[in-house]
Amino acid sequence: MLTRPITGHFSSLPTEAGGSSDIFRVAPSNDALSSAAGGGGTEKKNKSDFNVDSPLSFREHEPTFTVRHGHPVSQEYGVRDLWRKYASSAVGPNSPATKVTPIEAMRSYAVGPPYIATALDMYDIAVRWCEVVPKVYYELPELLAEMYAFSIATADLQLPHQLMASLMVSDTSGDGNGEGWKMVDDIPGEEVCSFAMDGLDVEVHPLPTVLHFCHRYGVGDRAFFANTKVPANFFSCGMPLLEEPTLDIGSGKYLYKQPPFLDTRMEYSAVIEKREAFMVCASTGFLNEAALYFKERHCIGNNANVRKAIRLHDLPE
């Protein structure tokens, strides 16, 4: 889910003083900075060069990246160089992907969504990606096969990525340095749920671009979200909306979550509680807003059920 618009230049947010502050942070290594500046990349030929003259500008220690031909940008992920094991069988032993070193793999191809490139580059990536995915999945029939295939496809095309560590939030654990949690951590705890559910205004609080809700999130006894528990017919006239959590989650009042159908509960720090609350409240708000949009346009008369009654926590697995 997008929490704010994507722009071609990843334009900075305005500050109260009238200047600007970049909300993106590059993966913290000198090699990554070298890659971001184009080191080791191969400029595409035979493509219209719109945006090719846009320079990379650096604001103190925080680089601002420009997406241009041959220089895509993606979120840093912890896939490291594990995809290299499958490159030869997927794209052949003579592919450029098989020549990528472990350092280059982690510097330029340890990526995941969101993936951002020019339309021409993304077309090439999509075509090659679709060819590679079945071959990787044949050897690795697991969830990460398509991500490994993406890295192989872009390495085969010699499209090293500029890695950024704040485009997305997903995993609430850890120090948050690999994702955009710093922006969420800075939101006051007593505001985080109401802001996430009804606001998400970047003029109020800077935000990461994408909310990647691939985990199970919860705070306290009942506030909970898991995308696998959303009913398949959620977008229908008769289906209720999701029950909203209490707005004080994330404030430090609920330093635990009670997983569904388990007798034990998981204890939290205040930081993790706030992140979990952000994910629960934002996901709930997004889906209810989308469902209301659907009902307003497709449900006739009074047959639109707008009760906020679906408690995901208590639905069967």
Side-chain angles (χ1 to χ4, degrees):
M1 293 179 179
L2 291 178
T3 60
R4 65 178 192 81
I6 294 176
T7 68
H9 293 271
F10 300 96
S11 54
S12 302
L13 297 175
T15 65
E16 293 182 359
S20 63
S21 61
D22 184 42
I23 67 170
F24 297 105
R25 182 180 60 79
V26 69
S29 72
N30 291 332
D31 284 340
L33 289 173
S34 173
S35 175
T42 302
E43 195 70 23
K44 281 283 187 179
K45 307 299 182 182
N46 303 319
K47 287 189 174 182
S48 60
D49 284 333
F50 79 88
N51 203 26
V52 75
D53 294 326
S54 299
L56 289 175
S57 60
F58 288 79
R59 193 173 292 107
E60 295 181 353
H61 301 295
E62 299 287 327
T64 301
F65 296 122
T66 300
V67 178
R68 64 185 191 273
H69 295 317
H71 297 276
V73 169
S74 288
Q75 168 68 32
E76 171 193 8
Y77 270 72
V79 297
R80 301 178 63 80
D81 68 333
L82 299 176
W83 58 268
R84 294 172 65 247
K85 176 181 178 181
Y86 309 97
S88 181
S89 59
V91 291
N94 296 319
S95 164
T98 65
K99 310 300 190 294
V100 174
T101 67
I103 291 177
E104 290 171 337
M106 291 185 285
R107 180 184 69 191
S108 302
Y109 298 104
V111 297
Y115 308 115
I116 307 170
T118 63
L120 293 172
D121 279 347
M122 190 58 81
Y123 176 83
D124 289 344
I125 292 170
V127 170
R128 196 69 175 118
W129 190 12
C130 289
E131 295 169 348
V132 173
V133 166
K135 298 176 182 178
V136 177
Y137 189 80
Y138 179 79
E139 294 192 55
L140 183 72
E142 298 178 8
L143 184 64
L144 292 179
E146 44 81 24
M147 290 181 66
Y148 289 179
F150 184 93
S151 295
I152 293 170
T154 53
D156 180 63
L157 294 169
Q158 295 180 281
L159 288 171
H161 285 244
Q162 303 167 78
L163 269 63
M164 302 182 73
S166 60
L167 281 173
M168 176 275 299
V169 287
S170 178
D171 182 2
T172 62
S173 64
D175 59 13
N177 283 334
E179 300 182 7
W181 286 115
K182 176 62 168 61
M183 289 171 273
V184 175
D185 294 346
D186 287 343
I187 301 172
E190 61 274 11
E191 298 177 20
V192 69
C193 185
S194 58
F195 175 75
M197 195 151 53
D198 299 318
L200 290 176
D201 184 353
V202 297
E203 299 295 331
V204 178
H205 297 295
L207 288 169
T209 300
V210 170
L211 188 155
H212 187 190
F213 53 96
C214 60
H215 298 272
R216 296 161 72 90
Y217 308 100
V219 178
D221 295 319
R222 288 289 184 267
F224 179 81
F225 184 85
N227 59 5
T228 56
K229 282 201 165 193
V230 177
N233 61 340
F234 179 69
F235 291 102
S236 61
C237 296
M239 182 62 63
L241 303 175
L242 300 180
E243 180 182 75
E244 292 182 348
T246 177
L247 294 181
D248 62 350
I249 63 171
S251 64
K253 185 177 179 180
Y254 308 92
L255 300 181
Y256 69 94
K257 76 173 175 182
Q258 180 67 54
F261 311 114
L262 295 178
D263 294 331
T264 59
R265 71 181 193 176
M266 181 181 297
E267 304 294 331
Y268 281 151
S269 68
V271 170
I272 301 302
E273 184 212 356
K274 183 190 291 188
R275 295 175 183 176
E276 293 273 324
F278 180 84
M279 298 301 278
V280 169
C281 297
S283 299
T284 301
F286 273 130
L287 282 175
N288 280 349
E289 181 181 1
L292 282 171
Y293 183 90
F294 170 87
K295 292 173 189 289
E296 289 169 357
R297 285 157 180 78
H298 299 284
C299 301
I300 301 173
N302 297 320
N303 69 336
N305 189 341
V306 295
R307 292 185 304 113
K308 297 175 180 177
I310 299 176
R311 181 177 290 177
L312 294 182
H313 184 279
D314 295 345
L315 293 184
E317 297 291 340

